[in-house]
Amino acid sequence: MDSSLVAQGTQRLAAPFGNYQLDAAYDEMFAAATEPRPQYQQLYHRLLELQPAELKQRQQLADLAFLNQGITFTVYGSDEGTERIFPYDLLPRIITADEWTQLERGLTQRITALNLFLQDLYHDEKILKDGVVPRELVYSCKHYRREMRGIRVRRDIYVSIVGTDLVRVNDGSFAVLEDNLRVPSGVSYMLANRVVMKKVYPRLFGNYNVRPIDHYGQALLATLRSLAPANRPDPTIVLLTPGVFNSAYYEHTFLARQMGIELVEGRDLIVHDNVVYMRTTAGLRRVDVVYRRVDDDFLDPLAFRPDSGLGVAGLFNAYRTGNVSLANAIGTGVADDKAMYAYVPALIKYYLNEDVILPNVHTFLLSEDKQRQHVLENLDKLVVKAVGESGGYGMLIGPHSTAAQREEFRQRIQADPRNYIAQPTLALSRAACFIEGRVEARHVDLRPYILYGEQATIVPGGLTRVALRRGSLVVNSSQGGGSKDTWILY
């Protein structure tokens, strides 16, 4: 089905919607041609009132605000220079209160089950003994850490910060695309988008009943404080960054500033007698909680990679003796392996005895012979992903691929089937975006951020990522994507 808003007889829309098109994908703004959904009515009519020149001025104002704030990200391997201003779309995405209630319930259910899974996995392994999850799938995961077996972590919380990627499918319902449990990024852009949106559309924003998100930094700080060792009532918390050359360095500095905590690198810390200290001008200061944005491999050269200069020698010993807490815990990556993702509904049933609220996208496990054969015969129709990759790397989007690319992935899969999964090519929902002076539809996803300390906290919003290139399904910033503000209504 391919219907155009400009091809509806007399229902031709005025600028800036002159080229807006609907297709089989769910449209966030329009229920049908010329029929904006109720939550978009006010925005729609406001856009009709604005002259194209005014919209361009607002886009320039937004771009300038991002430039002045230094809101950037880094693209590894780019020939055009690595650091870029984060692309920002002028039009908000709007989610109703009822939709958000459903998302909150589903995300809370999911993080609760994933924490129970990790606690079980590193202690009793009941789920493996009961055959719910194959033992070989866990032990062959490169993010599974045998060093963590039997180690108690504070409050049995392994995952306290999660960014879960959601997509809206044709019927308007949401599904989980993947969980990001190791170092989920992008929350700083969610917050920055809102600041810019208030500057660009102050009156419109004020007229909508949008839930606030600016308390995220304090909610994150409260979550980290709840993880402090029991005998440390006034804990010192630091954010550990790999340094200025990391792709998310802007975010690290932003979050440390939001929480009012120190941003440190490995060289700023030292371990004495299994206690972590931070070097300060007034001498050493004990550290109780480390919000680490450094991967497991690089945290401690004595325990993991000996060539790492990003971590702290002795940190793992301090951690397993309970003198310091890490968020997220070491070894959590086993639960966001893309092959393990296929088992999350089973984890929810096993630990919570509940049906899943937010369904998974159907996933083929290529370590299974029949499923692998099916995928190899249908590479032109499916999306193939490497289980441990992120940022849009290591992917084949079948319908948009060349024969040479499919052959390359065929060989990769046959050489290492455990390293790949496949999913159907989804028609991600599309949202109205301001592109080159007019409003056009682009595919989007949604990454809400879930905090899990004494309780689950989900700040009402998320990062709506946009595939800015026409027809593209890849929303990652490293692959040419951008973002837009997400409004959750009361």
Side-chain angles (χ1 to χ4, degrees):
M1 182 179 74
D2 183 14
S3 59
S4 167
L5 289 177
V6 297
Q8 304 297 314
T10 59
Q11 294 182 316
R12 182 183 181 88
L13 287 180
F17 290 92
N19 288 328
Y20 201 94
Q21 291 189 331
L22 298 180
D23 62 14
Y26 182 91
D27 193 276
E28 298 282 338
M29 183 176 237
F30 291 97
T34 73
E35 292 182 23
R37 300 182 190 282
Q39 67 270 29
Y40 279 94
Q41 289 278 352
Q42 192 177 160
L43 172 64
Y44 170 71
H45 290 292
R46 181 66 182 128
L47 290 173
L48 289 180
E49 293 170 1
L50 290 171
Q51 296 298 317
E54 288 182 81
L55 282 167
K56 286 182 181 177
Q57 285 177 355
R58 289 169 195 252
Q59 182 70 60
Q60 290 168 351
L61 175 63
D63 293 343
L64 186 62
F66 273 75
L67 181 66
N68 290 339
Q69 292 181 64
I71 301 173
T72 62
F73 70 103
T74 301
V75 179
Y76 297 124
S78 169
D79 294 332
E80 302 169 8
T82 57
E83 195 161 359
R84 298 178 182 175
I85 301 297
F86 196 67
Y88 171 77
D89 182 67
L90 195 59
L91 309 182
R93 178 191 195 168
I94 304 173
I95 293 175
T96 66
D98 287 345
E99 290 173 334
W100 183 248
T101 298
Q102 180 80 350
L103 293 179
E104 273 189 316
R105 289 179 58 235
L107 294 169
T108 300
Q109 179 192 58
R110 202 165 179 96
I111 194 172
T112 302
L114 287 169
N115 267 297
L116 290 169
F117 170 61
L118 287 162
Q119 200 281 334
D120 182 22
L121 203 59
Y122 286 115
H123 292 85
D124 300 329
E125 296 187 334
K126 291 179 182 173
I127 199 164
L128 304 186
K129 293 169 185 170
D130 289 341
V132 177
V133 173
R135 192 178 294 271
E136 60 271 21
L137 189 69
V138 172
Y139 291 168
S140 61
C141 175
K142 70 177 182 180
H143 299 298
Y144 175 72
R145 296 290 176 188
R146 286 176 171 76
E147 299 91 338
M148 286 295 293
R149 292 180 68 166
I151 294 178
R152 306 298 304 195
V153 302
R154 179 71 170 140
R155 298 181 185 275
D156 286 335
I157 294 174
Y158 286 77
V159 187
S160 47
I161 303 152
V162 181
T164 294
D165 292 344
L166 303 171
V167 294
R168 202 201 287 262
V169 292
N170 292 12
D171 65 357
S173 63
F174 284 93
V176 176
L177 190 60
E178 62 183 43
D179 304 287
N180 299 280
L181 274 61
R182 281 171 287 165
V183 283
S185 62
V187 72
S188 61
Y189 302 126
M190 173 186 84
L191 298 169
N193 285 349
R194 178 59 52 83
V195 171
V196 171
M197 179 58 74
K198 287 181 177 177
K199 289 181 180 176
V200 174
Y201 286 120
R203 185 176 300 173
L204 179 70
F205 183 85
N207 290 339
Y208 263 95
N209 208 8
V210 182
R211 300 192 200 186
I213 58 171
D214 49 8
H215 57 293
Y216 177 84
Q218 291 309 302
L220 175 59
L221 182 62
T223 299
L224 295 171
R225 287 178 63 90
S226 74
L227 302 178
N231 58 347
R232 304 291 295 171
D234 186 20
T236 296
I237 301 167
V238 298
L239 193 159
L240 176 62
T241 175
V244 68
F245 295 109
N246 185 265
S247 64
Y249 185 71
Y250 161 76
E251 176 154 298
H252 303 165
T253 60
F254 180 94
L255 290 177
R257 192 166 62 245
Q258 287 270 313
M259 290 187 283
I261 65 174
E262 296 290 337
L263 179 71
V264 299
E265 298 182 25
R267 61 190 175 185
D268 300 318
L269 303 177
I270 190 170
V271 177
H272 279 311
D273 295 332
N274 291 332
V275 175
V276 181
Y277 295 93
M278 169 173 53
R279 292 184 172 94
T280 76
T281 54
L284 296 179
R285 180 178 176 188
R286 179 168 174 169
V287 171
D288 304 293
V289 181
V290 178
Y291 176 27
R292 51 88 172 217
R293 300 294 294 256
V294 174
D295 288 338
D296 290 353
D297 279 342
F298 301 95
L299 274 177
D300 182 348
L302 298 181
F304 305 112
R305 282 183 56 156
D307 60 339
S308 172
L310 302 178
V312 189
L315 178 61
F316 184 63
N317 273 344
Y319 179 55
R320 67 181 175 186
T321 55
N323 289 333
V324 68
S325 297
L326 298 178
N328 290 329
I330 295 171
T332 54
V334 65
D336 78 2
D337 181 299
K338 289 181 173 60
M340 199 68 69
Y341 156 90
Y343 289 89
V344 173
L347 304 186
I348 290 170
K349 191 68 177 177
Y350 183 79
Y351 292 113
L352 304 177
N353 194 28
E354 297 174 2
D355 294 327
V356 67
I357 296 171
L358 289 174
N360 274 19
V361 174
H362 182 77
T363 300
F364 297 96
L365 298 175
L366 303 194
S367 53
E368 304 288 333
D369 292 343
K370 285 186 178 178
Q371 296 186 47
R372 182 171 66 253
Q373 188 60 35
H374 173 80
V375 170
L376 291 175
E377 292 171 357
N378 294 278
L379 280 175
D380 60 330
K381 304 179 184 69
L382 300 169
V383 176
V384 179
K385 300 177 182 177
V387 297
E389 293 284 357
S390 60
Y393 296 101
M395 284 177 62
L396 174 78
I397 300 180
H400 297 173
S401 65
T402 65
Q405 289 170 330
R406 292 194 290 276
E407 182 56 30
E408 179 188 343
F409 266 78
R410 182 187 307 281
Q411 293 179 19
R412 288 190 196 180
I413 291 167
Q414 289 172 330
D416 187 8
R418 167 65 177 87
N419 195 42
Y420 294 92
I421 58 100
Q423 294 173 329
T425 305
L426 300 174
L428 309 185
S429 67
R430 305 200 309 169
C433 298
F434 186 64
I435 308 283
E436 297 177 349
R438 58 199 182 198
V439 179
E440 296 186 8
R442 291 290 187 271
H443 292 292
V444 296
D445 75 354
L446 176 65
R447 177 179 290 181
Y449 295 91
I450 308 104
L451 302 173
Y452 196 76
E454 292 181 340
Q455 61 184 11
T457 302
I458 308 175
V459 172
L463 184 68
T464 288
R465 301 186 299 175
V466 185
L468 288 173
R469 284 196 287 265
R470 187 194 299 269
S472 173
L473 293 169
V474 182
V475 297
N476 306 79
S477 57
S478 53
Q479 308 293 321
S483 74
K484 57 168 60 216
D485 195 14
T486 308
W487 293 2
I488 310 297
L489 304 183
Y490 279 105

